[in-house]
Amino acid sequence: VKPELRNNIYGHKLLMKFKEIALSRNLKRTYGVFEPLEANLARLYIGMNSFVGIQYIIDELPNPNVTLSSDKILIKWDFISDSYGINNYNNKLDLIDTLGRYPVATKDYMPDNEKILVEIPDNFNLLKTENIEKAIGWRKQTRKIFTHYLNNKNYIIASCLTGRINK
């Protein structure tokens, strides 16, 4: 999508058309992948549509000339029912309230709560161009967290909450 047209719900409209076509062909669900540190994609798939993240896929960097791995989140979208009881786009969560209710997992603190929060950068693509070492740090931290919760503990990513807190 051209930069001047981004953030105008075109991605959401395309997904709704995809869903309409899929349902007309009696399909019940689809799967896909996305970069877990791209907040705009998380908002689109998980925040606006009822995709859920179900597995973390590690890129082992087969190319020695690449400095940053391309890890992915496997996502599932059930067309017929919202099997997880969520509709994130219509039930927006309050950032401050949510931060007060649930712990934020880090690579050194992984609470055993029913629900946890994971922080990701607001603009990972920009971060990669401005500070690759910081981007690599984000990848290492979130890789450990997502692997622990999604792959080892069978959690799902069921909501995407955005906002900025001045620290």
Side-chain angles (χ1 to χ4, degrees):
V1 177
K2 292 180 180 179
E4 64 272 16
L5 299 176
R6 291 181 187 154
N7 299 317
N8 288 313
I9 71 166
Y10 293 116
H12 176 69
K13 289 178 180 180
L14 283 169
L15 286 172
M16 291 300 99
K17 187 63 175 176
F18 176 87
K19 180 179 180 179
E20 177 186 320
I21 293 167
L23 286 170
S24 75
R25 295 180 180 178
N26 295 318
L27 298 175
K28 294 181 171 117
R29 76 185 56 84
T30 191
Y31 295 85
V33 294
F34 80 98
E35 161 61 70
L37 298 182
E38 284 296 333
N40 61 332
L41 295 176
R43 283 188 291 269
L44 174 63
Y45 296 125
I46 296 171
M48 292 181 71
N49 300 287
S50 294
F51 283 78
V52 291
I54 58 174
Q55 183 181 2
Y56 191 76
I57 303 167
I58 296 174
D59 174 18
E60 296 294 344
L61 282 177
N63 183 344
N65 298 321
V66 175
T67 58
L68 183 64
S69 62
S70 297
D71 295 359
K72 302 291 184 219
I73 294 281
L74 176 65
I75 52 178
K76 178 173 75 167
W77 190 17
D78 287 321
F79 300 134
I80 307 293
S81 69
D82 184 1
S83 60
Y84 295 99
I86 55 173
N87 186 336
N88 300 312
Y89 189 64
N90 294 324
N91 295 314
K92 295 215 181 272
L93 302 171
D94 178 77
L95 179 62
I96 301 297
D97 180 56
T98 303
L99 285 170
R101 287 180 188 218
Y102 306 109
V104 178
T106 68
K107 65 181 174 68
D108 300 318
Y109 174 66
M110 295 200 203
D112 201 19
N113 288 40
E114 181 181 350
K115 297 178 183 180
I116 55 103
L117 303 173
V118 178
E119 182 181 12
I120 62 172
D122 182 50
N123 190 333
F124 192 60
N125 278 331
L126 181 62
L127 182 62
K128 290 188 292 188
T129 62
E130 291 181 347
N131 189 336
I132 191 65
E133 293 303 319
K134 195 170 185 180
I136 291 169
W138 273 103
R139 171 69 76 222
K140 288 178 180 176
Q141 171 163 303
T142 55
R143 175 184 280 182
K144 184 175 180 183
I145 296 166
F146 287 134
T147 299
H148 175 75
Y149 285 105
L150 294 176
N151 298 359
N152 300 337
K153 308 265 298 161
N154 295 317
Y155 279 54
I156 61 166
I157 301 172
S159 190
C160 175
L161 183 63
T162 61
R164 190 174 299 251
I165 303 287
N166 293 330
K167 294 181 179 181

